[in-house]
Amino acid sequence: MKRILIVEDDNLLNKTLAYNLTSDGYKTTSAFDVKSAVFQLSTNEYELVLLDINLPDGSGLALCSQIRRKSRVPIALLTAKDMEMDIVKGLESGADDYITKPFSLMVLRARVRAL
C-alpha cells in the first residue's frame, strides 16, 4: 500500500484529501505544520508528499527544498498562489507538481496516480 503524507493546515481540506485518497487505496498520514511534517518524514517512508506552501509555522517551499536535499520522494505543492513566478519558485524548490487551489478532486487523484 502506497503511503502519502498530507501537509495541509486547513483541517477540513486535510481530512477531505485523506478520506478520498484512503478510498483510492492509499495509506495517508496528516500533518498540519512544518514541525509535524518533519517528524513524520524522519520516522516514516512515503511514496508521495502533498505539501501546502503556506503553513502556520513556516514555509512549505523551504520544507520542499529541505526534503529534496535528502530524498527523491515525489512532492506535489498545494497552494492558492497561482502567479507564474510562484509556480516557477515552487518547481525550482524541488517540487514535481504544482497544484493550485481550488482544485478538482478528480484531477488531484489523477496527478497522484501519475506521481
Side-chain angles (χ1 to χ4, degrees):
M1 181 178 300
K2 294 192 177 191
R3 296 175 50 103
I4 299 174
L5 176 61
I6 303 168
V7 187
E8 168 61 58
D9 64 319
D10 180 305
N11 192 42
L12 180 60
L13 179 56
N14 196 313
K15 286 182 179 183
T16 300
L17 292 171
Y19 174 81
N20 282 279
L21 293 170
T22 300
S23 296
D24 289 346
Y26 299 100
K27 181 169 175 43
T28 63
T29 302
S30 293
F32 298 91
D33 54 33
V34 171
K35 182 179 179 181
S36 59
V38 169
F39 173 78
Q40 289 299 328
L41 288 162
S42 69
T43 58
N44 298 292
E45 289 189 25
Y46 295 95
E47 283 72 38
L48 175 65
V49 177
L50 296 177
L51 177 59
D52 187 7
I53 288 180
N54 296 314
L55 295 166
D57 63 342
S59 164
L61 290 178
L63 179 57
C64 182
S65 295
Q66 179 183 341
I67 294 168
R68 187 53 68 227
R69 283 191 298 273
K70 298 177 182 177
S71 172
R72 294 303 314 154
V73 64
I75 302 168
L77 294 174
L78 303 176
T79 182
K81 294 183 175 190
D82 61 355
M83 300 298 291
E84 187 173 304
M85 279 310 300
D86 295 319
I87 297 168
V88 169
K89 284 180 189 176
L91 296 172
E92 286 180 347
S93 72
D96 298 286
D97 200 355
Y98 193 99
I99 303 167
T100 56
K101 299 174 187 175
F103 51 82
S104 152
L105 281 173
M106 188 175 359
V107 171
L108 176 81
R109 287 170 151 162
R111 288 180 174 209
V112 166
R113 284 191 301 273
L115 289 171

